[in-house]
């Protein structure tokens, strides 16, 4: 390998893909049949988002070196990016044929098959992941794929074991942190502390890879779901105050009026006090700042928070201004506003979800 190509390879590893591509292209001007340089150029163009040019480069490389394992693997990833899954599968299988004892070929084939919605492919993906683990038991990414294929076939016990093994091999594997957190989140209502462990996993994954949006999106969904859950407390308070103020307007006096006011106040204060206490115990101090930062930048969270806050303020004022029947009727539009913001927020978060 020439010095220029070595420098280009080093620049690629540093994430300086444009400079690496320029060096590779310069080398190819003098050596147009250098398959290694063409594959490196294809990798650079793929990272820069120019997948069509990347495909042209790697296929040019494979014409000069049809036995290039790296060429077939790069071609597979480029075809996946172009949503040509069938061709990507064929390319991955060709890589396995050339290098059946190389773990990365089985890993790549398993990744391609796992994307398929077909049950047969899901099982085959898991077998490829097992083969990759058998060939490279020290590679954390192989265990991540094994966990992912088990996860997708609903074998959650094996999935957790695989993710935990990946993290023992590489504690900085952000994908393993994120996927293990998803498992914990799934069990949040059955196992105490699972919600907290899920949040910790997403925060750790986001901190390890600032360019990976998956963990931050999952953390945003957790914050949104927690806040959205409080709408039931707001609804209970609104209904209680509406019934109480109606009773007062109907002529309740003396002890009856006092008890009505106390019950309404108790529902408002007790409901929100209980919810805040639960959230305080659920979210340890070290998780509050990351969740707050995610929430501040999220429009769906801001929207549902505003709607719930308006309903809470209205309930408190309706208890004080109980004589105003018109004011009391304002609760119904606010309830519908909260429901509308819940649906809109859920839809927005789904649309903002990063692609796998």
């Amino acid at each position: 390998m020439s010095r220029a190509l070595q420098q280009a390879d080093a620049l690629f590893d540093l994430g300086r893909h444009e400079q690496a591509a320029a060096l590779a292209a310069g080398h190819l001007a003098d050596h147009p049949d250098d398959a290694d340089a063409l594959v490196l150029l294809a990798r650079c163009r793929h990272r820069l988002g120019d997948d069509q040019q990347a495909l042209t480069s790697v296929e040019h490389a494979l014409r000069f070196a049809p036995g290039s394992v790296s060429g077939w693997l790069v071609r597979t990833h480029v075809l996946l990016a172009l949503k040509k899954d069938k061709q990507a599968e064929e390319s991955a299988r060709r890589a396995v044929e050339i290098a059946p004892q190389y773990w990365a070929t089985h890993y790549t084939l398993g990744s391609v098959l796992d994307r398929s919605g077909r049950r047969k492919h899901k099982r085959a993906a898991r077998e490829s992941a097992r083969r990759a683990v058998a060939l490279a038991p020290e590679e954390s990414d192989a265990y991540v794929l094994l966990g992912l294929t088990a996860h997708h076939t609903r074998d959650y016990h094996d999935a957790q074991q695989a993710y935990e093994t990946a993290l023992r091999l590489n504690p900085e594997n952000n994908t393993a942190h994120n996927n293990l957190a998803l498992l914990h989140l799934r069990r949040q209502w059955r196992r105490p502390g699972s919600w907290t462990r899920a949040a910790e996993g997403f925060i750790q994954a986001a901190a390890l890879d600032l360019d990976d949006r998956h963990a931050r999106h999952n953390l945003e969904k957790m914050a949104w779901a927690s806040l959205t859950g409080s709408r039931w407390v707001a609804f209970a308070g609104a209904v209680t105050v509406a019934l109480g103020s109606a009773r007062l307007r109907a002529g309740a006096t003396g002890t009856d009026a006092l008890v009505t006011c106390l019950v309404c106040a108790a529902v408002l204060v007790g409901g929100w006090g209980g919810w805040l206490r639960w959230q305080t115990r659920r979210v340890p101090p070290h998780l509050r700042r990351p969740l707050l930062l995610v929430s501040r930048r999220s429009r769906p969270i801001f929207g549902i928070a505003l709607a719930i806050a308006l309903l809470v303020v209205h309930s408190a004022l309706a208890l004080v201004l109980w004589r105003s029947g018109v004011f009391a009727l304002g609760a119904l539009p606010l309830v519908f506003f909260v429901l509308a913001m819940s649906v809109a927020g859920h839809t927005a978060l789904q649309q903002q979800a990063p692609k796998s």
Side-chain angles (χ1 to χ4, degrees), residues 303-355:
I304 191 65
L306 175 63
I308 291 173
L310 288 174
L311 183 57
V312 173
V313 170
H314 180 275
S315 298
L317 291 176
L319 183 59
V320 176
L321 305 174
W322 56 268
R323 289 186 177 84
S324 175
V326 175
F327 187 82
L329 293 174
L332 190 58
L334 287 175
V335 167
F336 282 112
F337 181 47
V338 171
L339 292 173
M341 293 306 296
S342 298
V343 174
H346 179 72
T347 303
L349 285 173
Q350 285 184 318
Q351 292 174 345
Q352 293 170 10
K355 296 181 180 179

Side-chain angles (χ1 to χ4, degrees), residues 80-225:
L80 284 176
L82 292 170
K83 302 186 184 304
K84 298 180 179 181
D85 291 357
K86 186 175 181 180
Q87 291 175 257
E89 181 184 340
E90 293 170 355
S91 184
R93 291 190 185 280
R94 178 61 179 149
V96 171
E97 289 175 6
I98 295 171
Q101 298 303 313
Y102 182 33
W103 76 275
T105 61
H106 296 278
Y107 173 89
T108 302
L109 177 59
S111 299
V112 173
L113 293 173
D114 188 61
R115 288 167 59 104
S116 171
R118 297 171 60 185
R119 184 174 298 180
K120 182 180 178 181
H121 279 182
K122 295 291 184 183
R123 291 196 297 269
R126 195 168 179 183
E127 289 304 314
S128 292
R130 285 176 175 148
R131 182 62 177 158
V133 166
L135 290 170
E138 75 288 351
E139 288 288 345
S140 64
D141 284 344
Y143 284 96
V144 170
L145 178 61
L146 181 61
L148 191 62
T149 56
H151 200 151
H152 288 166
T153 54
R154 299 185 179 181
D155 189 346
Y156 301 120
H157 178 266
D158 282 3
Q160 180 171 343
Q161 285 189 327
Y163 294 145
E164 289 174 346
T165 302
L167 290 173
R168 281 196 296 272
L169 292 169
N170 179 13
E172 295 187 356
N173 191 312
N174 66 300
T175 305
H177 278 292
N178 182 73
N179 291 359
L180 184 58
L182 286 171
L183 280 180
H184 288 313
L185 187 60
R186 184 180 178 276
R187 299 165 176 163
Q188 63 176 310
W189 302 115
R190 300 196 304 272
R191 297 186 183 180
S194 291
W195 191 94
T196 301
R197 287 194 290 273
E200 289 173 339
F202 291 139
I203 290 170
Q204 182 71 11
L208 288 170
D209 187 353
L210 299 178
D211 295 325
D212 186 352
R213 295 179 56 241
H214 291 83
R216 279 183 292 280
H217 179 73
N218 289 330
L219 199 60
E220 182 181 355
K221 285 171 62 179
M222 289 185 72
W224 184 85

